[in-house]
């Protein structure tokens, strides 16, 4: 299972590099062979270390030998992650097989009890994906690991529970980094499953939080979210903004600036430049404030009201394409 999963992870992360996948699979097949040796039997800390020596002595490639050692990295908080592509793939595969397996048999950690060290394993997966710059979807990797579990009747939704459990470990990761957890919550609201992409977004939001416009825009986003939530049942809501129905100068200004920003934001988002995109969106603070000061959203005229709601929907969508900034507004 681990060998197959390591190969799949390697292919996903290395753009179908067959050699890297073969190394990962071979290392996976040999990854636990040293556990039955007398050396590791007497000195358990030598697991992986002896595996690397045995692999070299047996004529395996250096990539395979190194991956056998690196499967256990990081071993503790602050330890280095695997430095080789095959090592990273194997380190992730080994941990995901364990995590999904334990969840599949319905024995997830409860409270402070974690007999199989799944918290540490989860953090190892996240650190390897983020710090190893591996641009892969964790949900897809868990689906592969879950599909390989040899159980006729696994626990219900164990794969989704395992994914949630691993992503929840990000809170501790960013606390150690000194980043406001509200920044993480803002990103996770989007439903992202790619830890590297999540990391880029979290750091972009953390930078946005330092801008002078941040709190005003966070409060505005929260206000917009509340307005739209109350209107969600209205089936007649406009799907796009009609410029002909924009009668107030403040709503015309906001609509115009949104239109001007749209192509720039599309380019920045396509490039993953979330920090620059949020800096661009910060320029909307003044027109947004003017809009709420001078425009009555829930006016009597139905078409005008729906058009203003459409404008707010577009404003909200531009921010949500990166993160839910309203989470920065607090309670």
């Amino acid at each position: 299972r681990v060998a197959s999963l390591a190969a799949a992870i390697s292919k996903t992360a290395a753009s179908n590099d067959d050699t890297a996948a073969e190394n990962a699979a071979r290392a996976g097949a040999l990854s636990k062979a040293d556990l039955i040796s007398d050396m590791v039997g007497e000195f358990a800390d030598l697991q992986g270390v002896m595996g690397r020596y045995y692999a070299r002595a047996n004529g395996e490639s250096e990539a395979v030998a190194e991956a056998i050692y690196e499967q256990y990295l990081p071993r503790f908080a602050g330890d280095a992650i695997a430095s080789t592509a095959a090592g990273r793939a194997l380190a992730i595969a080994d941990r995901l097989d364990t995590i999904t397996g334990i969840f599949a048999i319905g024995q997830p950690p409860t409270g402070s009890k974690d007999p199989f060290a799944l918290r540490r394993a989860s953090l190892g997966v996240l650190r390897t994906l983020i710090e190893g710059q591996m641009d892969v979807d964790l949900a897809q990797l868990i689906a592969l690991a879950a599909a390989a579990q040899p159980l006729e009747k696994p626990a219900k939704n164990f794969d989704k529970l395992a994914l949630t459990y691993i992503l929840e470990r990000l809170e501790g990761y960013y606390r150690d980094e000194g980043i406001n957890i509200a920044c993480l919550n803002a990103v996770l609201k989007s439903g992202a499953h790619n830890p590297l992409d999540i990391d880029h977004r979290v750091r972009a939001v953390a930078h946005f939080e330092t801008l002078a416009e941040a709190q005003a825009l966070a409060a505005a986003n929260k206000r917009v979210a509340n307005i739209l939530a109350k209107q969600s049942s209205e089936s007649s809501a406009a799907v796009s903004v009609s410029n002909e129905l924009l009668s107030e100068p403040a709503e015309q200004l906001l609509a115009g600036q949104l239109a001007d920003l749209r192509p720039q934001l599309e380019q920045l988002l396509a490039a993953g430049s979330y920090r620059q995109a949020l800096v661009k969106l910060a320029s909307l603070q003044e027109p947004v404030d003017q809009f709420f000061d001078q425009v009555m959203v829930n006016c009597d005229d139905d078409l005008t009201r729906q058009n203003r709601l459409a404008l707010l929907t577009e404003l909200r969508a531009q921010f949500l394409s990166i993160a839910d900034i309203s989470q920065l507004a607090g309670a």
Side-chain angles (χ1 to χ4, degrees):
R1 291 197 308 274
V2 170
S4 177
L5 184 56
I9 292 171
S10 181
K11 281 189 175 183
T12 302
S15 302
N16 296 315
D17 183 335
D18 290 337
T19 301
E22 289 170 6
N23 287 336
R26 181 63 176 164
L30 298 172
S31 61
K32 307 302 179 186
D34 65 341
L35 298 186
I36 61 170
S37 67
D38 290 342
M39 198 71 172
V40 177
E42 187 168 353
F43 306 104
D45 288 349
L46 291 180
Q47 62 181 7
V49 175
M50 294 311 303
R52 178 168 58 183
Y53 281 117
Y54 294 146
R56 285 171 176 165
N58 198 50
E60 299 292 338
S61 70
E62 184 59 26
V64 169
E66 195 64 24
I68 291 172
Y69 167 72
E70 290 188 330
Q71 67 177 299
Y72 295 105
L73 301 181
R75 294 159 295 189
F76 48 82
D79 193 19
I81 64 166
S83 63
T84 66
R88 288 191 292 271
L90 181 54
I92 294 169
D94 186 35
R95 287 166 172 82
L96 287 185
D97 181 70
T98 299
I99 294 166
T100 56
I102 298 299
F103 273 81
I105 62 173
Q107 295 293 324
T110 56
S112 60
K113 295 181 180 179
D114 185 18
F116 302 105
L118 297 194
R119 291 184 179 87
R120 186 172 63 193
S122 298
L123 194 55
V125 169
L126 293 169
R127 282 195 57 205
T128 302
L129 289 172
I130 293 171
E131 296 168 26
Q133 296 293 299
M134 298 177 70
D135 188 13
V136 294
D137 188 324
L138 181 58
Q140 292 180 358
L141 301 188
I142 287 178
L144 291 172
Q149 293 303 318
L151 295 173
E152 290 185 9
K153 294 182 179 180
K156 187 177 180 181
N157 294 325
F158 75 94
D159 53 341
K160 294 185 178 65
L161 293 173
L163 174 62
T164 299
Y165 178 82
I166 294 175
L167 290 177
E168 284 176 347
R169 307 281 77 74
L170 283 170
E171 182 172 334
Y173 179 75
Y174 287 113
R175 283 194 192 281
D176 290 343
E177 294 274 313
I179 292 176
N180 183 358
I181 298 306
C183 297
L184 171 63
N185 293 335
V187 173
L188 292 181
K189 283 288 183 179
S190 67
H193 300 141
N194 181 325
L196 180 60
D197 187 62
I198 289 172
D199 185 65
H200 291 163
R201 290 171 187 259
V202 168
R203 295 183 189 281
V205 175
H207 175 261
F208 172 81
E209 193 182 27
T210 66
L211 302 179
E213 302 90 346
Q215 280 307 307
L217 280 170
N221 266 270
K222 189 170 186 176
R223 185 173 179 181
V224 171
N226 291 335
I227 291 172
L228 295 178
K230 291 176 183 176
Q231 303 294 333
S232 61
S233 61
E234 292 194 18
S235 58
S236 60
V239 293
S240 61
V241 178
S242 171
N243 290 328
E244 290 77 17
L245 293 172
L246 298 171
S247 58
E248 297 290 339
E251 61 182 335
Q252 293 170 351
L253 175 64
L254 178 57
Q257 290 215 14
L258 270 175
D260 291 342
L261 281 178
R262 193 180 301 116
Q264 301 174 54
L265 291 171
E266 288 175 355
Q267 289 183 350
L268 289 170
L269 292 176
S273 301
Y274 303 122
R275 178 185 286 208
Q276 292 93 318
L278 282 173
V279 170
K280 291 281 186 185
L281 285 168
S283 68
L284 293 173
Q285 186 213 334
E286 189 172 335
V288 167
D289 286 348
Q290 287 183 26
F291 178 88
F292 281 119
D293 287 341
Q294 302 171 23
V295 177
M296 174 69 73
V297 177
N298 291 316
C299 60
D300 293 333
D301 183 75
D302 185 61
L303 288 177
T304 301
R305 182 175 72 256
Q306 295 303 322
N307 200 55
R308 288 170 180 171
L309 289 171
L311 180 58
L312 292 181
T313 299
E314 183 176 343
L315 172 67
R316 179 98 169 118
Q318 292 293 355
F319 279 96
L320 286 176
S321 63
I322 304 169
D324 184 0
I325 299 302
S326 68
Q327 297 293 311
L328 303 181

